[in-house]
Structures are given as C-alpha cells and as structure tokens.
Amino acid sequence: MARLHLFDLDGTLLYGTSAPLEISRQLGLAAETVLLEQSISAGLIGPPEYAAQVYDLWTQLTEEHVTAAFEGAPWLARIREVWAEIRRRGEYCAVVSLSPSFFVERLTGWGAHATYGSRFPAVPFTEPMDPAGALSAAAKVLIADRLCAEFGVTRDDCVAYGDSLSDKDLFGVVPVSVAVNADRHLSGLATHSYVGKDLWDAYELACRDR
C-alpha cells in the first residue's frame, strides 16, 4: 500500500523560522512578526487572530517580496530529492501549513502532490482578509482525511512530519510521525525525532517503519 507523507512548513521544512517571518523580513517588519509568533505559540492568540494581524502588517506586500522571501529562506537540504524519491516509490507527499497559501503553493514546483495553507487574498492585497480561512491544528487532520480519500489511502498509511503545537493533532491520528527540530509540544508524541538541516535524514527515519 502506498503511503502519504504530510509535511508541515514552518520550523519543519524551514529551519528555525516561518514563512510569515521570512515575508516580513522583506518589509522590515520582522520584529513585529516575532511578537505575533510568540503570542500564538503561548496560546494568547489563535490562528484567525494571527492571520488577521500579519495581513494588517503586509499592506505593502508585492509578489517580488514573496519571491525574495521564498528564494532566500533557510530551507532544509534535499527537500526536492526526498519528494522525488517518494514519487519514485509511487507514494504521495503534501504540505499542510498554517502559513499563507500564496507561499505554500509554491512548493508544488518542488514536487509536492498537494499544498494547503491559510487562505489569504491575492498579492498585492486589494480584498479584505477573512480570518475564517486560517487553518488550525484540527484543520490539518481534516485536510489529511481529504487527501487520503483523494489518493486512495487511509490514516494508517500516513506519515506526518512536524515541529510544534500545530502538528499535535495530526501526530495523534497517524501511526508514524517524525518530530523535526521540534519544540516541547511534541515531546513524547513522535515515533521518531530528528534534529538537523537535511530532510533526507528525517525521511529515512520514517522509512524504518515500512
């Protein structure tokens, strides 16, 4: 049976940072975004409030800023090689992230079968942000189920890769999980734990459970 590999983005595929923070760096608004990330990590605000507040920060955002953030971000090594190997095996890979969809969707060009992110208006923003479009930890499970139906697999065929509280629900419903540079929220939950900057090494841990 084929497997579905589900990857988080912030802190997982990106080393020590998030897509919103990398976008904000391009606008000179990193400090403001760090404060927001500390608030959501501490549970002081939820994903809808976080999304609405970064949207308000990005009034001057352009496609050029997004491209520069994507190309200059500290990605883990060998992401494309891992996804090519997953495809070679006849398996599936998807990215499910709370970060903006306009950033996450760029990873289809690297080989992901599917990408899901929080729904933001097109850049540059000419429409209001609907906070209801922000994804949550629970939403990741719903999306995983939708992808399972699409690819003809079940939760028992899934592998989750993540680093933080937003991955906790997903880690709780799949049989194999890899904590990648993870924080305390995933302590004791993951099948495997990886610390480093090369996705291939994390992927090989999951391959032990075939």
Side-chain angles (χ1 to χ4, degrees):
M1 176 66 71
R3 296 209 294 182
L4 170 59
H5 298 259
L6 298 158
F7 295 90
D8 174 54
L9 174 63
D10 302 323
T12 303
L13 298 177
L14 288 173
Y15 183 79
T17 189
S18 68
L21 182 53
E22 294 305 305
I23 291 167
S24 290
R25 288 191 205 283
Q26 300 298 320
L27 297 166
L29 296 169
E32 291 86 342
T33 305
V34 166
L35 291 176
L36 289 176
E37 299 208 337
Q38 290 172 344
S39 294
I40 193 170
S41 179
L44 300 177
I45 60 174
E49 294 81 12
Y50 177 88
Q53 290 182 53
V54 293
Y55 169 84
D56 288 342
L57 284 178
W58 294 342
T59 57
Q60 303 301 313
L61 187 63
T62 66
E63 276 291 332
E64 289 73 20
H65 291 128
V66 179
T67 297
F70 186 89
E71 293 180 351
W75 298 98
L76 261 61
R78 297 198 285 181
I79 294 173
R80 280 170 278 201
E81 288 84 350
V82 168
W83 293 351
E85 175 64 11
I86 289 171
R87 284 177 171 268
R88 187 191 69 78
R89 288 178 174 271
E91 299 182 346
Y92 305 98
C93 52
V95 181
V96 185
S97 170
L98 274 58
S99 278
S101 54
F102 60 75
F103 190 95
V104 183
E105 288 166 358
R106 290 173 175 249
L107 289 168
T108 58
W110 286 15
H113 286 92
T115 58
Y116 285 84
S118 294
R119 294 193 306 275
F120 274 67
V123 177
F125 299 147
T126 57
E127 300 175 7
M129 170 73 192
D130 180 3
L135 296 189
S136 64
K140 286 191 173 188
V141 176
L142 297 176
I143 291 169
D145 286 341
R146 189 183 312 163
L147 289 169
C148 283
E150 179 180 345
F151 295 131
V153 299
T154 70
R155 286 185 183 179
D156 288 341
D157 306 308
C158 290
V159 181
Y161 304 77
D163 76 304
S164 66
L165 183 61
S166 70
D167 304 300
K168 189 173 182 178
D169 288 9
L170 188 57
F171 273 39
V173 299
V174 301
V176 180
S177 55
V178 183
V180 180
N181 299 315
D183 64 21
R184 59 181 175 80
H185 294 104
L186 299 185
S187 178
L189 289 178
T191 313
H192 304 284
S193 181
Y194 171 74
V195 177
K197 298 183 179 181
D198 192 326
L199 187 64
W200 190 277
D201 295 337
Y203 168 68
E204 284 192 327
L205 293 175
C207 290
R208 297 176 183 176
D209 296 291
R210 290 188 180 281

